[in-house]
Amino acid sequence: MLTPRSRVAILRTTPARVLSDYHTLMNLAGYQDVIAREIDTALKVNISWHFFFPGSSTTPWQLDGVIRAMKQDGYSASLLHACHNRTVVIDAHLGERENKQIDVTLAHGLRNIHLYEGDEPWVNIREAVGDLTKKFLCLNDVYPGGFMIPRRFLGENIIHLPTIKTHVFTTTTGAMKNAFGGLLNEHRHWTHPVIHETLVDLLMIQKQIHRGVFAVMDGTFAGDGPGPRCMVPHVKNVILASADQVAIDAVAAKL
């Protein structure tokens, strides 16, 4: 039996047409086959530095282009929301202002959700995925008592919004690692020595808890060097999308 081949869409873009190019890109990658219309979709914003730095964090045109594309294709703004996590080094509220992400979110009338705030219910990973935890490569060792994940993730779509950049601990970072902040708490730096195994475990979790998983990656700037905050930015003017998180990260790493 032949296994379907993964599809990664990649476009060269310009500032003049980047917003419309995101619509073309996402449909080339077949996102409508993966992201159901009738349920909530989390747009998982990446903030690697709370000040704007080219290549470091989700760009405003990336977020804007994705939202415009989904609205154009009939997705309701009431079922879309920007999704943020907390870290030990980044102020997400400052970051969304300095990176102009909040401006885009509010302009489109979307909800803006910070996972670690308010009365959002959480659930232990063992309750959320059951026997899947027996297949974990490393997370049972790093978190012997399990760890909590947002209950809202169960059954909803997620679209990751990473950028093409390097990372001082993990060499590259992209779609797979963008799940890091939402699924693991502030002690997630404990997993850096076993980052490869961690990414496998996180992808298994995502495939079980989310209805659909998709990634849209901005490479208008690509970050090189000791990322994600001390990089040399390069203008590359490419954007990528895929439903296969491994494939899109492999293409980005090759680029």
Side-chain angles (χ1 to χ4, degrees):
M1 180 182 294
L2 292 176
T3 302
R5 299 185 69 180
S6 297
R7 184 194 315 174
V8 179
I10 179 169
L11 286 179
R12 294 193 180 276
T13 190
T14 68
R17 67 168 194 265
V18 67
L19 294 179
S20 60
D21 275 351
Y22 268 113
H23 180 258
T24 303
L25 176 83
M26 293 169 67
N27 281 286
L28 281 173
Y31 89 102
Q32 295 189 59
D33 297 329
V34 178
I35 302 300
R37 283 176 169 76
E38 69 274 11
I39 60 173
D40 250 20
T41 296
L43 304 178
K44 180 62 179 64
V45 175
N46 172 239
I47 301 179
S48 290
W49 188 231
H50 43 233
F51 300 115
F52 176 77
F53 190 89
S56 183
S57 303
T58 299
T59 66
W61 52 89
Q62 177 183 9
L63 180 59
D64 197 4
V66 168
I67 297 170
R68 287 173 184 242
M70 297 184 76
K71 283 183 169 181
Q72 184 175 337
D73 290 331
Y75 289 81
S76 172
S78 66
L79 292 176
L80 305 178
H81 65 273
C83 180
H84 301 271
N85 60 262
R86 185 171 63 190
T87 75
V88 293
V89 294
I90 301 301
D91 181 334
H93 288 282
L94 176 60
E96 68 182 359
R97 294 197 304 271
E98 293 297 311
N99 286 279
K100 308 302 181 186
Q101 298 151 351
I102 187 64
D103 302 79
V104 174
T105 302
L106 295 178
H108 284 285
L110 269 59
R111 289 163 292 149
N112 193 57
I113 294 174
H114 288 258
L115 295 171
Y116 286 78
E117 299 175 2
D119 298 321
E120 292 282 342
W122 291 65
V123 59
N124 191 282
I125 190 62
R126 292 171 181 169
E127 179 184 342
V129 301
D131 288 342
L132 181 66
T133 57
K134 297 176 182 178
K135 298 181 180 180
F136 286 171
L137 301 183
C138 70
L139 290 182
N140 292 327
D141 297 325
V142 179
Y143 299 95
F147 52 92
M148 305 296 285
I149 67 171
R151 185 177 291 275
R152 68 174 303 109
F153 275 178
L154 306 185
E156 74 174 6
N157 301 313
I158 192 163
I159 298 181
H160 292 290
L161 301 175
T163 59
I164 298 179
K165 60 179 178 287
T166 52
H167 193 286
V168 68
F169 292 120
T170 62
T171 307
T172 64
T173 179
M176 292 178 73
K177 195 169 181 293
N178 201 54
F180 215 51
L183 291 175
L184 299 179
N185 61 26
E186 291 99 325
H187 300 301
R188 57 185 173 269
H189 57 276
W190 294 343
T191 65
H192 279 152
V194 286
I195 189 61
H196 307 297
E197 295 82 358
T198 298
L199 294 183
V200 172
D201 288 353
L202 292 179
L203 190 54
M204 286 195 293
I205 292 170
Q206 289 187 84
K207 287 187 173 184
Q208 179 149 328
I209 66 173
H210 293 301
R211 173 83 170 269
V213 181
F214 195 78
V216 181
M217 184 180 290
D218 191 277
T220 52
F221 295 96
D224 182 35
R229 289 179 288 278
C230 299
M231 302 178 295
V232 176
H234 299 271
V235 177
K236 292 300 178 181
N237 288 330
V238 293
I239 52 178
L240 297 83
S242 182
D244 188 321
Q245 312 298 287
V246 179
I248 192 171
D249 281 357
V251 171
K254 178 67 174 177
L255 290 174

